[in-house]
């Protein structure tokens, strides 16, 4: 019985995390989402800037804002979020 309660609590926490993350991702602008997706796919800032026809500094700003909005402290967090299918 105790194990079932633990599993249930873990599943509830996972669902809540997904909902919270979905709300955070919904706050991203289209450009922030595009850049975050490209970063998670392994593209570099210069490559993203060239592909989108914007300055590297602009890429850095959008990347930073996107990561702040979704609570990704590091690029690896962003990759994990994308791998989970949330981005």
């Amino acid at each position: 019985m105790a194990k079932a309660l633990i599993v249930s609590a873990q599943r509830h926490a996972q669902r809540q995390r997904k909902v919270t993350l979905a709300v955070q991702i919904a706050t991203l602008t289209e450009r922030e989402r595009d850049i975050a997706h490209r970063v998670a796919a392994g593209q570099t800032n210069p490559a993203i800037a060239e592909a989108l026809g914007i300055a590297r500094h602009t890429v850095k700003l959008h990347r930073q804002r996107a990561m702040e909005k979704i609570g990704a402290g590091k690029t690896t967090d962003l990759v994990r979020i994308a791998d989970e299918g949330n981005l």
Side-chain angles (χ1 to χ4, degrees):
M1 177 80 156
K3 185 175 180 178
L5 291 173
I6 291 170
V7 170
S8 177
Q10 289 171 338
R11 287 183 181 159
H12 177 73
Q14 287 174 338
R15 282 191 302 271
Q16 187 60 38
R17 182 182 169 284
K18 284 189 174 201
V19 168
T20 300
L21 189 56
V23 169
Q24 291 169 326
I25 289 171
T27 67
L28 297 178
T29 65
E30 185 176 332
R31 179 68 84 181
E32 290 168 345
R33 184 172 304 166
D34 183 26
I35 290 175
H37 184 52
R38 289 170 184 266
V39 168
Q43 291 185 8
T44 63
N45 288 348
I48 295 169
E50 185 176 330
L52 299 178
I54 59 177
R56 288 184 203 178
H57 181 71
T58 304
V59 171
K60 288 180 184 180
L61 289 175
H62 286 302
R63 177 182 180 159
Q64 178 183 1
R65 287 187 193 131
M67 290 179 68
E68 287 173 0
K69 286 181 179 181
I70 62 174
K74 298 179 274 184
T75 303
T76 54
D77 297 333
L78 189 62
V79 171
R80 181 185 42 76
I81 290 166
D83 284 346
E84 292 174 359
N86 296 315
L87 187 60

